[in-house]
Amino acid sequence: MHSLSWTSRVISRALRNGFSTLLESATNVATTGPAKSRPHFVSVVCGFPKDFLTSKYKPGKYGEDSWFKTSTSNSDVLGVADGVGGWRSYGIDPGEFSSFLMKTCERLVHCVNFNPQKPVNLLAYSYCELLEQKKPILGSSTACVLVLNRENSTVYTANIGDSGFIVVRKGEIIHKSEEQQHYFNTPFQLSLPPPGHDHNVLSDSPDAADTLTFPVKEGDVILVATDGVFDNVPETLLLDVLKEVEGVTDPVKLQMTANSLALMARSLSFDSEFMSPFAINARRNNINATGGKPDDITVVLATVAM
């Protein structure tokens, strides 16, 4: 275990050095005229653990999924992470890894050198802190972080694996994340394997995260979710629900919509007759599958308001 800790810290220092050039402080733009109206998120969260009987409620978690949402004077930040469930067969709680990542991301948002234009920094430094823990936090997780920079009405994203986001405007999907897979049902992931398993466990670097930058407008709808949503709810159904809350700033109505999305995903995940997106992808990979994919489900829903 000592050798694991030493190796983890070496990897962590290397990652830190590799990302040090990304730590430019965000520029604050001074204005002399009347204060401009700046965008912000109105956001809500809903979700379900896959197994209600064995899952204990913890803030910021649904089973092995974790999430956060937080704000500063210049930004709004949303994030989700999905602990890889296969670690349970090794006696490892996959939710600890994803929870540590999201809690650390949330804390780092409020640090003085947080740069809203570089959400990959949040993933990189959260992962570095995880590797440096004296008591190793073993496992792996996918993650997606989305930042609204209020200064320039621009969203910056970093996604590793098969969690992700969708942005809807005027009834159409205008931006979405791309799923990152090594092969079917094996997403990119940040990992810390147990001693002796380094060579047979997939472990991706934070710099493998897919990053996007795009402007947003008042009324835009943004869904950030784990694969429990995207594997079970077809994109057309997601769009039908999301376009109904374009321009909505009432958190109660948004919460009702998030609840509906999460419940829809959960219901379809246990429908053995439904041809889910997961089953369709399985058949594309010559796997005869039908039905949904039971999983933890996390929905973070936001609209852009002025």
Side-chain angles (χ1 to χ4, degrees):
M1 191 62 74
H2 289 297
S3 62
L4 172 63
S5 177
W6 179 85
T7 303
S8 299
R9 291 177 185 177
V10 169
I11 295 171
S12 174
R13 291 191 191 103
L15 284 168
R16 235 180 241 283
N17 291 336
F19 279 90
S20 62
T21 57
L22 300 179
L23 269 179
E24 316 95 22
S25 295
T27 303
N28 292 322
V29 180
T31 58
T32 55
K36 291 177 65 177
S37 180
R38 300 195 305 170
H40 64 276
F41 283 158
V42 179
S43 60
V44 296
V45 183
C46 185
F48 299 103
K50 178 172 67 174
D51 189 343
F52 282 104
L53 295 178
T54 60
S55 179
K56 295 180 180 178
Y57 171 75
K58 292 183 180 179
K61 289 189 67 179
Y62 297 113
E64 293 156 6
D65 285 0
S66 298
W67 61 270
F68 78 97
K69 63 187 187 82
T70 191
S71 299
T72 69
S73 60
N74 294 323
S75 62
D76 295 295
V77 188
L78 312 174
V80 298
D82 178 7
V84 176
W87 288 108
R88 285 204 176 275
S89 61
Y90 294 88
I92 295 169
D93 179 2
E96 288 189 12
F97 194 105
S98 60
S99 179
F100 184 95
L101 279 182
M102 293 294 95
K103 287 180 179 179
T104 307
C105 282
E106 182 174 9
R107 176 174 56 79
L108 292 177
V109 167
H110 298 280
C111 291
V112 66
N113 60 356
F114 167 61
N115 183 350
Q117 299 181 16
K118 296 291 177 72
V120 70
N121 286 7
L122 293 177
L123 292 180
Y125 281 93
S126 297
Y127 183 49
C128 286
E129 286 200 20
L130 183 146
L131 295 178
E132 291 177 342
Q133 296 302 297
K134 290 184 178 179
K135 181 181 178 182
I137 300 174
L138 304 175
S140 54
S141 179
T142 67
C144 180
V145 175
L146 183 148
V147 182
L148 169 63
N149 185 346
R150 296 180 182 177
E151 296 285 354
N152 60 7
S153 300
T154 300
V155 161
Y156 301 84
T157 72
N159 180 64
I160 187 159
D162 55 4
S163 295
F165 66 87
I166 289 176
V167 183
V168 172
R169 179 188 301 161
K170 295 182 179 179
E172 296 182 354
I173 295 174
I174 58 169
H175 301 290
K176 66 177 181 178
S177 56
E178 292 296 329
E179 188 177 73
Q180 292 180 307
Q181 296 268 4
H182 289 284
Y183 42 87
F184 175 69
N185 204 29
T186 307
F188 282 33
Q189 54 200 265
L190 304 175
S191 302
L192 180 57
H197 289 267
D198 303 66
H199 300 296
N200 56 6
V201 170
L202 292 171
S203 183
D204 299 287
S205 170
D207 64 6
D210 185 36
T211 59
L212 287 176
T213 301
F214 48 86
V216 290
K217 295 182 178 180
E218 183 177 9
D220 287 354
V221 182
I222 299 175
L223 169 68
V224 185
T226 54
D227 67 329
V229 174
F230 298 117
D231 279 345
N232 290 298
V233 185
E235 196 172 272
T236 53
L237 283 182
L238 288 175
L239 180 58
D240 286 343
V241 175
L242 296 176
K243 66 185 181 183
E244 293 300 317
V245 289
E246 285 190 57
V248 171
T249 57
D250 178 2
V252 174
K253 185 170 182 180
L254 281 181
Q255 187 65 65
M256 292 173 65
T257 301
N259 295 354
S260 296
L261 276 174
L263 184 58
M264 181 191 300
R266 179 169 175 81
S267 298
L268 292 175
S269 74
F270 287 99
D271 186 339
S272 60
E273 302 300 321
F274 178 64
M275 187 56 68
S276 66
F278 180 81
I280 292 171
N281 287 334
R283 292 193 174 199
R284 287 173 180 160
N285 286 271
N286 299 315
I287 299 171
N288 188 17
T290 304
K293 179 192 175 189
D295 203 351
D296 302 314
I297 291 160
T298 300
V299 170
V300 183
L301 180 63
T303 56
V304 179
M306 302 296 283

